[in-house]
Amino acid sequence: MSKEALYSLIKSPVVSEKSMMAMETHNQYVFLVDKRADKIKVKQAIEAMFNVKVKSVNILNQIGKQKRTRFKPGKRADVKKAYVSLADGHSIEMVAAE
């Protein structure tokens, strides 16, 4: 797979309380990924982008919630998340912008 295709799989890191707790305790990082991504492609993309050794990848399909706007019902977007566990001694520098 080409580098452009691998780089297009990873959309953005998820910065939340839950993802920060996973980062501190289990050396896991959470990324939003393309809906067509699978575990093997996500592993290859993370290893190529950040030059780290990936131990395992878990994929989560999050279905968007049904919400009601003022006049009609709506729906949040469906997202696919990847929980990436890194090997011991490896880490990714996450910089949060305010």
Side-chain angles (χ1 to χ4, degrees), residues 7-71:
Y7 288 147
S8 67
L9 285 179
I10 308 298
K11 292 182 180 178
S12 65
V14 176
V15 180
S16 65
E17 288 183 31
K18 184 177 180 180
S19 66
M20 291 297 141
M21 187 72 85
M23 188 186 317
E24 293 170 1
T25 59
H26 303 294
N27 200 20
Q28 282 186 334
Y29 296 85
V30 184
F31 296 95
L32 291 179
V33 296
D34 189 62
K35 293 186 190 257
R36 298 176 302 246
D38 60 1
K39 291 182 178 186
I40 296 168
K41 291 178 184 174
V42 170
K43 180 179 179 177
Q44 292 171 352
I46 295 295
E47 287 179 345
M49 289 174 76
F50 298 108
N51 197 18
V52 294
K53 178 71 176 151
V54 175
K55 184 168 59 172
S56 68
V57 176
N58 293 326
I59 299 288
L60 173 98
N61 285 311
Q62 185 176 357
I63 306 299
K65 289 183 177 181
Q66 295 288 331
K67 292 292 184 177
R68 180 163 178 82
T69 60
R70 185 172 176 185
F71 298 110

